Amino acid sequence: MALKPKILIADDEPVTLEVVLERLQAEGYDIEVASCGKEAIAAAKNSSFKLVLTDLFMPDITGMEVLAHFVEHYPDTPVIVLTGFGTIETAVEAIKRGAYDYLSKPANLDEIVLTVKRALEHKDLKEQNVALRSQIQEQHRLEKLIGQSTPMQQLYGIIKRVARTDSTVLITGESGTGKELIANAIHFQSNRADMPFVPINCGAIPEELLESELFGHEKGAFTGAFKERRGRFELANKGTVFLDEIGEMSPKLQVKLLRFLQETKFQRVGGSRTVEVDVRILAATNKDLERAVAGNEFREDLFYRLNVIPIQVPPLRERAGDVSLLIRHFLNQHCLKKNIPHKRMSNAAVESLKQYDWPGNVRELENVIERLVILTDSEEIQLHDLPKRMQTCEPVCAEPETAPIELGEDGINLKELLDNLENRLIVDALQRTGGVKNKAAKLLGLNRTTLIEKMKKKQIDFPL
Ligand SMILES: Nc1ncnc2c1ncn2[C@@H]1O[C@H](COP(=O)(O)OP(=O)(O)OP(=O)(O)O)[C@@H](O)[C@H]1O
Ligand SMILES: [Mg+2]
């Protein structure tokens, strides 16, 4: 049985105490009484109360002091004050000082019960809210990069290594491959993690504004600059600036950025004072910057300054093995976010998505899953629920094809190849046996514990 909510009642009038006590006990609360303010404060030391009901006028210390004590030491415990007739100002004052509500005496018992219930519900909601918020923040902070394919494994290794340094990183890759998420991961794994991560999309802001966004401006620097303003580089001091879509930056700003990267100093727009900051620069683009350099659209010297550590994010079609993990991740995430009961996806639909070529990469996959979560009624999403263009194969051809293995001119990466093959066969066996590990292990000629160990190591879960 659930514990009864514990309530403290403080009043110096035995009659009031008794009737309120009886009624609240009858309502299923666990009641402790205090016949003066001091007793109330002492009681709080020994037990933790869900709620306090206190008279305002007591001989030793007043209810107002009891209230102050609880507000200071137990801010999550709602306090309801009981006040004599004609002292409404005091009641209002109590509310101002943090009481949840007030009730006038003589006490109307129904009203007391109702107010107590409401206060407790309010407290529960508040607690849930706090828990949810911290859960969301935590999720956001650890916003995980999903994927166990060899390219992703390599990427994690690089992220870990570069996170420890202050080097400038240039992240390139097609749209929607997760460049921003990677920049995030680098920042949050670095020793700047507790300092700001300041992203700015260089492609989305007009040139004149971008300059003042980045470097800030002095008062009167241009029409409309009524006040001085600090730019993103200053705001990010000791942290990381993420220059997204750097390929879109105008030549003029490229010069200014280059100078800043060389000197780590700059002047605000319209200013002559030198500002020095300590920021780490991460940049990203889906443009082929080398080609832009060759075509004189991007400064070569800036390119080299940024490209100290290049990170290339592979498109999703080159890591089809990650598709099922991403599907599961987004199904979970979006069902949770929308408060929808959990949904699965049929093997045929998963296979079909694995073969699609994903021009919009992970973002396209995320969007399609989000839509499917909303639009599909049944618990399992079927092949025919997918957008037509993604229905790349019929259920009968759901068997993944085997890529021809050849020892080409340049040789092969045997470990990677075998690793991928192993992943695929394990997932196949699990799919074919509906996730029954005993049977899947048998199909693979492994014993169950070996299979489970491998699944753990490769982070393969079932259902996918
Ligand atoms: N490996 C991944 N695991 C989980 N989610 C991912 C992954 N890669 C991308 N995403 C998600 O896909 C969406 C697009 O990612 P992101 O914005 O980082 O891509 P991008 O490369 O910056 O794209 P663009 O070039 O269009 O700006 C985001 O919602 C992100 O959370
Ligand atoms: Mg981006």
Side-chain angles (χ1 to χ4, degrees):
M1 209 178 80
L3 268 176
K4 292 180 182 174
K6 199 160 184 182
I7 295 178
L8 174 67
I9 311 176
D11 201 322
D12 58 319
E13 294 169 25
V15 185
T16 316
L17 261 189
E18 201 169 317
V19 286
V20 178
L21 166 77
E22 259 175 29
R23 177 62 193 269
L24 286 177
Q25 268 175 344
E27 294 288 331
Y29 297 108
D30 181 7
I31 308 293
E32 193 167 323
V33 291
S35 55
C36 65
K38 275 194 182 133
E39 244 179 60
I41 287 171
K45 274 215 179 87
N46 301 322
S47 335
S48 93
F49 296 101
K50 286 263 188 226
L51 184 136
V52 177
L53 199 62
T54 179
D55 183 18
L56 272 185
F57 299 100
M58 286 181 287
D60 55 347
I61 57 176
T62 67
M64 213 56 112
E65 282 165 274
V66 174
L67 170 67
H69 181 81
F70 274 87
V71 167
E72 188 186 350
H73 299 282
Y74 313 95
D76 297 331
T77 306
V79 177
I80 299 172
V81 297
L82 291 166
T83 155
F85 178 72
T87 51
I88 188 83
E89 291 84 4
T90 335
V92 171
E93 185 59 30
I95 299 277
K96 272 195 201 150
R97 296 196 190 176
Y100 171 78
D101 206 347
Y102 71 90
L103 293 166
S104 343
K105 279 183 168 182
N108 172 331
L109 290 175
D110 287 338
E111 204 184 343
I112 291 186
V113 171
L114 209 69
T115 310
V116 163
K117 254 193 197 141
R118 221 168 7 107
L120 289 174
E121 272 168 20
H122 181 80
K123 176 177 153 68
D124 277 352
L125 277 179
K126 229 162 100 179
E127 280 167 1
Q128 275 171 20
N129 207 348
V130 170
L132 274 176
R133 196 162 328 132
S134 72
Q135 206 178 328
I136 289 167
Q137 268 168 2
E138 186 66 9
Q139 249 171 14
H140 187 74
R141 217 181 142 79
L142 301 174
E143 189 72 79
K144 271 202 333 223
L145 279 158
I146 304 292
Q148 286 304 320
S149 58
T150 315
M152 287 306 281
Q153 304 265 21
Q154 286 167 349
L155 199 62
Y156 301 146
I158 297 171
I159 290 174
K160 214 170 180 181
R161 247 173 293 141
V162 302
R164 284 188 233 125
T165 73
D166 262 346
S167 309
T168 305
V169 179
L170 179 64
I171 309 167
T172 52
E174 289 178 18
S175 180
T177 43
K179 297 185 291 295
E180 184 155 359
L181 216 52
I182 289 166
N184 243 290
I186 295 175
H187 172 75
F188 283 111
Q189 287 181 34
S190 76
N191 52 17
R192 294 175 180 257
D194 292 332
M195 302 312 281
F197 174 80
V198 178
I200 180 155
N201 187 328
C202 306
I205 303 173
E207 180 187 339
E208 322 79 64
L209 277 184
L210 182 59
E211 182 174 5
S212 107
E213 271 300 323
L214 287 175
F215 299 100
H217 61 245
E218 300 291 353
K219 186 175 166 185
F222 46 82
T223 333
F226 298 118
K227 278 200 292 193
E228 65 157 41
R229 181 163 177 236
R230 294 193 301 158
R232 306 272 174 120
F233 285 127
E234 273 178 82
L235 295 174
N237 196 18
K238 303 247 187 297
T240 306
V241 172
F242 174 48
L243 301 169
D244 203 359
E245 302 202 26
I246 187 82
E248 307 303 318
M249 195 177 255
S250 72
K252 179 181 154 209
L253 264 184
Q254 288 180 31
V255 176
K256 194 155 177 185
L257 176 63
L258 177 68
R259 200 171 316 130
F260 168 60
L261 293 180
Q262 286 165 339
E263 298 167 7
T264 70
K265 288 183 207 145
F266 61 88
Q267 275 116 26
R268 292 179 181 163
V269 177
S272 52
R273 204 151 47 92
T274 303
V275 182
E276 198 162 352
V277 292
D278 162 25
V279 292
R280 195 230 181 126
I281 305 286
L282 305 174
T285 178
N286 51 23
K287 257 194 177 171
D288 181 345
L289 271 197
E290 270 169 290
R291 194 187 290 168
V293 168
N296 284 328
E297 291 157 41
F298 202 83
R299 291 185 67 100
E300 188 172 13
D301 40 12
L302 178 58
F303 172 71
Y304 286 118
R305 271 275 161 191
L306 292 172
N307 200 36
V308 180
I309 299 182
I311 293 187
Q312 264 186 11
V313 194
L316 186 55
R317 80 189 72 86
E318 285 175 18
R319 45 188 168 106
D322 290 338
V323 169
S324 42
L325 290 177
L326 284 162
I327 292 174
R328 188 158 50 86
H329 170 70
F330 290 132
L331 278 175
N332 284 340
Q333 200 181 51
H334 288 287
C335 288
L336 200 74
K337 231 194 237 168
K338 301 196 171 57
N339 222 347
I340 292 174
H342 185 69
K343 283 191 197 306
R344 288 174 281 125
M345 186 176 281
S346 76
N347 293 343
V350 172
E351 281 309 322
S352 187
L353 292 184
K354 273 162 104 171
Q355 285 167 42
Y356 178 62
D357 71 348
W358 301 110
N361 294 292
V362 184
R363 181 178 294 111
E364 187 181 9
L365 175 61
E366 177 168 11
N367 290 344
V368 79
I369 299 292
E370 182 172 4
R371 265 201 313 276
L372 287 168
V373 161
I374 298 170
L375 298 178
T376 313
D377 287 326
S378 61
E379 198 191 319
E380 186 171 82
I381 298 166
Q382 305 294 339
L383 183 63
H384 63 79
D385 293 320
L386 304 183
K388 281 277 172 299
R389 67 180 190 287
M390 294 183 184
Q391 296 181 19
T392 55
C393 73
E394 295 300 319
V396 275
C397 71
E399 292 286 298
E401 77 219 41
T402 316
I405 299 170
E406 281 162 19
L407 190 62
E409 286 281 295
D410 308 322
I412 53 169
N413 183 339
L414 186 62
K415 191 179 170 310
E416 181 182 323
L417 191 97
L418 293 177
D419 225 38
N420 283 339
L421 194 65
E422 195 178 13
N423 286 356
R424 228 185 54 202
L425 289 172
I426 290 177
V427 170
D428 272 1
L430 285 166
Q431 282 179 343
R432 221 184 286 174
T433 55
V436 181
K437 295 191 189 89
N438 259 332
K439 290 187 186 167
K442 215 175 233 169
L443 276 183
L444 295 164
L446 300 173
N447 62 38
R448 190 168 168 277
T449 43
T450 314
L451 173 64
I452 291 172
E453 247 163 51
K454 282 185 187 289
M455 286 172 66
K456 220 184 247 166
K457 201 163 135 220
K458 293 165 176 291
Q459 297 191 4
I460 298 173
D461 277 325
F462 209 88
L464 295 169

